[in-house]
CSV table of all heavy atoms in Angstrom, one decimal:
chain,number,residue,atom,x,y,z
A,144,GLU,N,136.5,56.5,123.3
A,144,GLU,CA,137.4,56.2,122.3
A,144,GLU,C,137.3,54.7,121.9
A,144,GLU,O,137.3,53.8,122.8
A,144,GLU,CB,138.8,56.5,122.8
A,144,GLU,CG,139.9,56.5,121.7
A,144,GLU,CD,141.2,57.1,122.1
A,144,GLU,OE1,141.3,58.3,122.2
A,144,GLU,OE2,142.1,56.3,122.4
A,146,ARG,N,138.7,51.7,118.8
A,146,ARG,CA,139.8,51.5,117.9
A,146,ARG,C,139.2,50.6,116.8
A,146,ARG,O,138.7,49.5,117.1
A,146,ARG,CB,141.0,50.8,118.5
A,146,ARG,CG,142.2,50.5,117.6
A,146,ARG,CD,142.8,51.7,116.9
A,146,ARG,NE,143.3,52.8,117.8
A,146,ARG,CZ,144.5,52.9,118.1
A,146,ARG,NH1,145.4,52.0,117.7
A,146,ARG,NH2,144.9,53.9,118.9
A,147,VAL,N,139.2,51.1,115.5
A,147,VAL,CA,138.6,50.3,114.4
A,147,VAL,C,139.7,49.8,113.5
A,147,VAL,O,140.6,50.6,113.2
A,147,VAL,CB,137.7,51.3,113.6
A,147,VAL,CG1,137.1,50.6,112.4
A,147,VAL,CG2,136.5,51.8,114.5
A,162,SER,N,143.5,49.2,107.5
A,162,SER,CA,143.7,50.5,108.1
A,162,SER,C,143.3,50.4,109.5
A,162,SER,O,142.6,49.6,110.0
A,162,SER,CB,142.8,51.5,107.4
A,162,SER,OG,143.1,51.6,106.0
A,163,ILE,N,143.9,51.4,110.3
A,163,ILE,CA,143.6,51.5,111.7
A,163,ILE,C,143.1,52.9,112.0
A,163,ILE,O,143.8,53.9,111.6
A,163,ILE,CB,144.9,51.2,112.6
A,163,ILE,CG1,145.4,49.8,112.3
A,163,ILE,CG2,144.5,51.4,114.0
A,163,ILE,CD1,146.7,49.5,113.0
A,164,PHE,N,142.0,53.0,112.6
A,164,PHE,CA,141.4,54.3,112.9
A,164,PHE,C,141.1,54.4,114.4
A,164,PHE,O,140.7,53.4,115.1
A,164,PHE,CB,140.0,54.5,112.2
A,164,PHE,CG,140.2,54.7,110.7
A,164,PHE,CD1,140.2,53.6,109.9
A,164,PHE,CD2,140.2,56.0,110.2
A,164,PHE,CE1,140.4,53.8,108.5
A,164,PHE,CE2,140.4,56.1,108.8
A,164,PHE,CZ,140.4,55.0,108.0
A,165,THR,N,141.3,55.6,115.0
A,165,THR,CA,140.8,55.9,116.3
A,165,THR,C,139.5,56.6,116.1
A,165,THR,O,139.4,57.6,115.3
A,165,THR,CB,141.8,56.8,117.1
A,165,THR,OG1,143.0,56.0,117.3
A,165,THR,CG2,141.2,57.2,118.4
A,166,LEU,N,138.4,56.2,116.8
A,166,LEU,CA,137.1,56.7,116.6
A,166,LEU,C,136.7,57.4,118.0
A,166,LEU,O,136.5,56.7,119.0
A,166,LEU,CB,136.1,55.7,116.3
A,166,LEU,CG,134.6,56.1,116.2
A,166,LEU,CD1,134.5,57.2,115.1
A,166,LEU,CD2,133.7,54.9,115.8
A,178,LYS,N,139.9,59.3,113.1
A,178,LYS,CA,141.3,59.8,112.8
A,178,LYS,C,142.1,58.5,112.4
A,178,LYS,O,142.2,57.6,113.2
A,178,LYS,CB,141.9,60.4,114.1
A,178,LYS,CG,143.4,60.8,113.9
A,178,LYS,CD,144.1,61.2,115.2
A,178,LYS,CE,145.6,61.4,115.0
A,178,LYS,NZ,146.3,61.7,116.2
A,179,GLU,N,142.7,58.6,111.2
A,179,GLU,CA,143.4,57.4,110.7
A,179,GLU,C,144.8,57.4,111.4
A,179,GLU,O,145.5,58.5,111.4
A,179,GLU,CB,143.5,57.5,109.2
A,179,GLU,CG,144.2,56.2,108.7
A,179,GLU,CD,144.2,56.1,107.1
A,179,GLU,OE1,143.7,57.1,106.5
A,179,GLU,OE2,144.6,55.1,106.6
A,180,GLU,N,145.2,56.3,111.9
A,180,GLU,CA,146.5,56.1,112.5
A,180,GLU,C,147.6,56.0,111.3
A,180,GLU,O,147.2,55.7,110.2
A,180,GLU,CB,146.6,54.9,113.4
A,180,GLU,CG,145.6,55.0,114.6
A,180,GLU,CD,146.0,56.2,115.5
A,180,GLU,OE1,147.2,56.4,115.7
A,180,GLU,OE2,145.0,56.8,116.0
A,181,GLY,N,148.8,56.3,111.7
A,181,GLY,CA,149.9,56.3,110.6
A,181,GLY,C,150.4,54.9,110.2
A,181,GLY,O,151.2,54.8,109.3
A,182,CYS,N,149.9,53.8,110.9
A,182,CYS,CA,150.4,52.5,110.5
A,182,CYS,C,149.2,51.7,109.9
A,182,CYS,O,148.1,52.0,110.0
A,182,CYS,CB,150.9,51.8,111.8
A,182,CYS,SG,149.7,51.7,113.1
A,183,HIS,N,149.6,50.6,109.2
A,183,HIS,CA,148.7,49.8,108.5
A,183,HIS,C,149.0,48.3,108.9
A,183,HIS,O,150.0,48.0,109.5
A,183,HIS,CB,148.8,49.8,107.0
A,183,HIS,CG,148.4,51.2,106.4
A,183,HIS,ND1,149.1,51.8,105.4
A,183,HIS,CD2,147.4,52.0,106.8
A,183,HIS,CE1,148.6,52.9,105.1
A,183,HIS,NE2,147.6,53.1,105.9
A,220,ALA,N,147.6,46.2,116.7
A,220,ALA,CA,146.9,47.4,116.2
A,220,ALA,C,146.9,48.5,117.2
A,220,ALA,O,146.1,49.5,117.0
A,220,ALA,CB,145.5,47.0,115.8
Side-chain angles (χ1 to χ4, degrees):
E144 192 169 284
R146 181 59 61 96
V147 178
S162 301
I163 301 175
F164 290 86
T165 295
L166 178 58
K178 174 189 175 184
E179 185 171 4
E180 298 296 321
C182 54
H183 295 140

